[in-house]
Amino acid sequence: MRTADKWQDYKIIDASGGEKLESWGGKLLVRPDPQIIWNTPHETKLWNQADAVYHRSKKGGGEWEVRKQLPERWTIGYHDLKFIIRPTGFKHTGLFPEQAVNWDYMSEKIKHSSRQVKVLNLFAYTGGATLACARAGASVTHVDASKGMVSWARENAAQSSLSDKPIRWLVDDCEKFVKREIRRGNRYDAIIMDPPSYGRGPNGEVWKLEDCIFELVKLCAQLLDDKAIFFLLNSYTTGLSPSVMAYILGEGIAKRFGGNVFADEIGLKVQSSGLFLPCGSTAIWESK
């Protein structure tokens, strides 16, 4: 497992009974996590001091129980990147901290490139990868179908003093955008994909990761420059193992461009136990 172990403003304090107790810049949140199938004694009294707890509904979705005065939004930092945290109605906060391990990987690849790297970030959410790549010196095309998420990402860029960097902010359907870029003849040195497990497009189109991901990877392969340096694919779907993702990149990318493919779980350390909570998987193709 590759772990995001350089955080100062975020930590998982404890995990038990389907829930995790997290500190987000000193604000204590309790959120459900399907990976936490163990019932162990709570190792800290901080569970009772949580600022807010997210309760799932049996009918789907859920809601926050705010126990203390909690700001609508606040900011945390990772190195010199700044992110606005805002608890949403779907338990999320606008940031996936485990992705920091991928931000560090991408940053190093970009910094050691002999030219300015052109990055395409698909399903780009609130821009963690976009900001990391821009800070490292890349030009980035940031694409997400949600106008609200793209606005949030732009706010994060402003908080991180990166508004003047060469970032294109696009609200668009990722697959349709990729097809248009192929027709335009555009090419990228690196592609990042962080697709949802399930979703619906603006016209009712159904996206199911297992059914759609391989064809989208093959499409994206047509956008890679001959001197491309990496292709990074994330998944939060428990049924899509790192080995399956590696196979997809092997077939979709490595057969055409050579290079190497590796994949692993990514995760975060639980402070109380010293053990690591899996938080999804990443597969990476990189050039030789």
Side-chain angles (χ1 to χ4, degrees), residues 6-277:
K6 296 181 175 64
W7 278 100
Q8 299 295 321
D9 286 358
Y10 171 85
K11 58 186 172 183
I12 300 178
I13 299 169
D14 198 9
S16 179
E19 295 180 319
K20 55 188 173 184
L21 172 64
E22 305 164 289
S23 173
W24 295 82
K27 308 294 189 296
L28 298 179
L29 304 182
V30 175
R31 297 192 297 158
D33 191 309
Q35 297 277 26
I36 303 171
I37 61 173
W38 51 88
N39 281 297
T40 52
H42 286 178
E43 298 291 340
T44 173
K45 294 180 180 179
L46 291 176
W47 286 93
N48 299 321
Q49 299 176 29
D51 295 280
V53 179
Y54 187 87
H55 299 289
R56 283 200 181 280
S57 169
K58 293 181 180 179
K59 298 179 181 180
E63 62 180 3
W64 288 95
E65 174 196 353
V66 179
R67 296 179 174 177
K68 297 182 181 180
Q69 182 112 23
L70 190 68
E72 180 183 344
R73 49 191 272 172
W74 64 96
T75 302
I76 69 171
Y78 183 75
H79 301 316
D80 54 349
L81 298 179
K82 304 296 181 184
F83 300 100
I84 296 166
I85 303 302
R86 186 170 70 234
T88 71
F90 296 96
K91 88 170 183 177
H92 299 304
T93 63
L95 191 67
F96 293 94
E98 66 277 2
Q99 288 298 326
V101 70
N102 288 329
W103 305 339
D104 292 343
Y105 166 83
M106 293 182 282
S107 295
E108 287 304 308
K109 294 292 289 185
I110 291 165
K111 288 175 182 177
H112 287 94
S113 176
S114 59
R115 65 188 192 281
Q116 185 181 51
V117 175
K118 187 179 177 184
V119 175
L120 173 61
N121 187 12
L122 298 172
F123 309 96
Y125 196 49
T126 59
T130 293
L131 301 190
C133 290
R135 181 190 61 179
S139 63
V140 186
T141 298
H142 174 110
V143 186
D144 197 282
S146 168
K147 182 178 180 180
M149 290 301 122
V150 174
S151 295
W152 195 336
R154 296 188 73 153
E155 287 187 84
N156 284 336
Q159 291 284 332
S160 302
S161 301
L162 295 173
S163 294
D164 61 340
K165 296 297 182 181
I167 304 172
R168 284 201 300 162
W169 305 101
L170 301 175
V171 179
D172 207 340
D173 176 90
C174 289
E175 183 176 348
K176 292 177 182 177
F177 175 79
V178 167
K179 289 178 178 177
R180 289 199 303 274
E181 287 290 88
I182 292 170
R183 292 195 295 269
R184 294 172 184 134
N186 287 334
R187 295 291 181 269
Y188 294 88
D189 303 300
I191 296 178
I192 305 159
M193 288 176 56
D194 198 354
S197 298
Y198 181 85
R200 287 188 179 273
N203 298 315
E205 308 94 329
V206 175
W207 164 274
K208 188 177 180 183
L209 185 62
E210 296 94 326
D211 296 339
C212 303
I213 191 61
F214 182 56
E215 293 304 318
L216 185 54
V217 167
K218 288 199 299 182
L219 272 178
C220 288
Q222 299 179 57
L223 292 180
L224 280 178
D225 187 85
D226 290 339
K227 296 181 179 179
I229 58 174
F230 70 82
F231 190 117
L232 189 145
L233 173 63
N234 284 309
S235 171
Y236 299 95
T237 302
T238 54
L240 202 62
S241 70
S243 296
V244 169
M245 295 168 65
Y247 200 100
I248 289 171
L249 292 191
E251 283 287 335
I253 307 296
K255 271 194 172 181
R256 177 174 174 178
F257 293 94
N260 303 302
V261 175
F262 62 93
D264 205 347
E265 289 182 311
I266 58 175
L268 294 159
K269 189 174 184 178
V270 178
Q271 189 178 56
S272 63
S273 66
L275 302 174
F276 293 91
L277 178 67

